[in-house]
Amino acid sequence: MGQIDRKAEEMECSYRIENGRAVIDKILDPGQSVAVPGELDGYPVTELGAYALADSDVEELYLPARLVKIGAYAFYNCKNLRRITCYGRTMDLGTGLFAGVQTVEYLDITLLCGERSCLKELLSELRQTLRVRIREVESDAGRNPAEGSAIGAARGDPAEGSAIRVARGNPAEGGIPESARMNPTKEGDYAAGAETVMGKNQDAGDISHARLIFPEYYEDSVENTPARIVSIETHGCGHRYRYCFQNRVFQYKDYDAIFPHMKVQEPEALAAELAFCRLRYPLGLTETCAGEYRAYLAEHWQTAGRILIQADRPRCDHATNLDPGQLPWLVEQVLEPEAPDRVLTEMLPSYITMAQELGDTEMVSWMMDYKYKRGKNIVPDQFRPSTLPAPRPRRFEL
């Protein structure tokens, strides 16, 4: 998901204790990476105050598990904010939360299975192209028994109810969500034949993982002056993807059903990235939709291969949901079943050329080795038993 900048381990903030809970009013002199602590003086942090990070240079923000409220304009004018890691329990979001923020590219969120979350509200506030990584945990696994409820009924101390202080909180004490420390790209996150509905991944245990893309959309007001009628025109299919909720619970089947619009309205590279990520991290994916994604990648194999090879570069210069080293999975799990006759003759030679141009020597080596091993197991058509002529009967006379 992302690495914590160790410089952000000690964070200076002003806070107060109310009804046994800590409320952070202001984060003082925040750095580029801010991890809001999960506890202060033994009290759970449940609220981030209004304008808490306004006008700061924060780039990565990590919010704690028991945070349930964020005040108005808390991230106002944070022009460098690129990644947010949080839990779905933060249901009370203040107005203008992302006013003046146009740079958010990644949202990493942990949800409780089947429980309402703040994901819908976050997506409605962020209209730019957004790459979302979702981890779903079972309700029992997502709660700490010591916390009691999802918010945590912490102990109350009336004597400290109005105390306002400046303190240094250590996010290592519970402020960094588990999703920020996990490595979601370990081998075996998805294997062919996992399940018909690919939501319970055997290798991921009780934690399921999805990587989604919500494309950008914007609205224009068009006025018909003589009739004095103003109509709203929506551009892009991002608004469709942001409606895939029922009672604030995200619906994967509705998300996958929009892919035909994605193919027509969005760039081919973005559609290929979405299709690959849905197959590679298939939380809630049905076999029918998986077949549509596989067919799209097989048809647009050049674009799919190019974006995967570009993701291998140490410093990728654009936002992506892809991890390095994923081209072998595309070849073996998608292209071989969909277009086996074209892999050796057309696809691999093209991929090798792409990788050589980008200096990806490791992937070139893998493809050459795969091509050699794969080629040894192929019998040319003219020598297949079904194409050989029937043997002539032989007569021997003595």
Side-chain angles (χ1 to χ4, degrees):
M1 291 285 186
Q3 298 298 319
I4 304 300
D5 183 358
R6 306 322 298 181
K7 294 180 181 179
E9 282 192 351
E10 289 190 356
M11 183 195 68
E12 192 172 356
C13 63
S14 62
Y15 71 98
R16 50 198 161 88
I17 305 299
E18 288 186 352
N19 300 321
R21 298 171 185 175
V23 178
I24 295 179
D25 293 315
K26 185 69 175 177
I27 296 177
L28 308 175
D29 193 22
Q32 293 181 340
S33 181
V34 173
V36 177
E39 290 185 355
L40 289 171
D41 290 346
Y43 297 94
V45 175
T46 62
E47 183 177 343
L48 197 60
Y51 295 93
L53 278 166
D55 295 307
S56 68
D57 295 326
V58 59
E59 295 181 7
E60 297 185 357
L61 175 63
Y62 301 89
L63 301 176
R66 289 177 286 184
L67 189 73
V68 295
K69 181 178 180 179
I70 301 178
Y73 300 98
F75 311 135
Y76 173 74
N77 212 28
C78 293
K79 296 182 178 180
N80 299 325
L81 183 59
R82 295 183 65 246
R83 181 187 293 272
I84 300 172
T85 300
C86 64
Y87 283 79
R89 297 167 176 166
T90 312
M91 302 293 288
D92 190 349
L93 303 179
T95 58
L97 190 60
F98 295 101
V101 181
Q102 304 289 332
T103 54
V104 178
E105 296 174 332
Y106 300 99
L107 174 63
D108 303 343
I109 187 167
T110 301
L111 308 177
L112 291 179
C113 293
E115 184 176 293
R116 296 191 305 166
S117 72
C118 62
L119 179 58
K120 181 179 180 180
E121 285 69 23
L122 290 174
L123 292 174
S124 65
E125 293 279 346
L126 301 167
R127 296 189 175 189
Q128 63 269 35
T129 298
L130 192 65
R131 288 165 170 83
V132 179
R133 301 186 181 187
I134 296 177
R135 283 194 177 277
E136 287 197 359
V137 297
E138 299 295 337
S139 297
D140 292 339
R143 292 187 175 91
N144 184 345
E147 297 175 8
S149 66
I151 299 172
R155 62 183 183 273
D157 188 351
E160 301 190 23
S162 59
I164 299 178
R165 354 177 140 181
V166 175
R168 294 183 180 273
N170 186 351
E173 296 175 358
I176 303 172
E178 192 68 23
S179 58
R181 295 192 291 263
M182 291 178 179
N183 178 11
T185 61
K186 65 180 181 180
E187 290 299 324
D189 271 357
Y190 171 75
E195 280 188 19
T196 303
V197 177
M198 306 172 187
K200 294 293 184 180
N201 192 322
Q202 295 175 355
D203 295 306
D206 60 345
I207 298 178
S208 300
H209 177 213
R211 297 191 184 186
L212 310 176
I213 296 177
F214 292 83
E216 178 186 17
Y217 79 99
Y218 62 95
E219 297 174 341
D220 277 342
S221 299
V222 180
E223 182 179 2
N224 185 340
T225 305
R228 296 188 176 182
I229 297 175
V230 177
S231 60
I232 305 296
E233 294 184 356
T234 303
H235 302 270
C237 66
H239 68 290
R240 296 177 182 271
Y241 278 104
R242 287 164 171 82
Y243 292 152
C244 300
F245 290 87
Q246 183 176 358
N247 296 327
R248 289 188 175 182
V249 178
F250 186 71
Q251 304 295 314
Y252 293 95
K253 58 181 177 58
D254 295 338
Y255 179 93
D256 294 322
I258 303 172
F259 189 64
H261 297 276
M262 176 79 169
K263 294 188 292 185
V264 175
Q265 295 181 295
E266 301 297 335
E268 185 177 307
L270 194 65
E273 182 182 345
L274 185 150
F276 179 85
C277 288
R278 285 302 286 139
L279 291 171
R280 188 68 178 88
Y281 310 99
L283 175 60
L285 179 62
T286 64
E287 190 58 48
T288 300
C289 295
E292 184 176 356
Y293 288 133
R294 282 193 290 264
Y296 182 84
L297 292 176
E299 181 181 355
H300 300 273
W301 59 270
Q302 287 182 313
T303 301
R306 185 180 302 110
I307 62 175
L308 289 172
I309 293 172
Q310 289 174 346
D312 287 343
R313 289 184 293 184
R315 292 185 178 180
C316 194
D317 55 2
H318 62 278
T320 180
N321 248 347
L322 304 171
D323 291 314
Q326 296 298 306
L327 185 64
W329 192 91
L330 173 70
V331 172
E332 295 175 344
Q333 302 295 336
V334 178
L335 300 182
E336 280 285 7
E338 293 292 322
D341 297 335
R342 300 173 58 196
V343 171
L344 287 185
T345 59
E346 186 178 356
M347 297 177 178
L348 280 182
S350 178
Y351 287 163
I352 291 173
T353 302
M354 292 181 193
Q356 289 173 336
E357 291 175 352
L358 293 176
D360 192 350
T361 55
E362 183 178 353
M363 201 53 61
V364 170
S365 175
W366 179 87
M367 286 187 286
M368 295 293 289
D369 184 63
Y370 182 83
K371 187 177 179 181
Y372 171 75
K373 293 178 179 178
R374 174 76 162 73
K376 289 181 65 175
N377 296 329
I378 291 182
V379 180
D381 289 340
Q382 61 267 31
F383 298 118
R384 293 183 186 275
S386 59
T387 60
L388 294 176
R392 295 181 181 180
R394 293 185 180 183
R395 298 178 62 183
F396 298 93
E397 296 181 358
L398 297 177

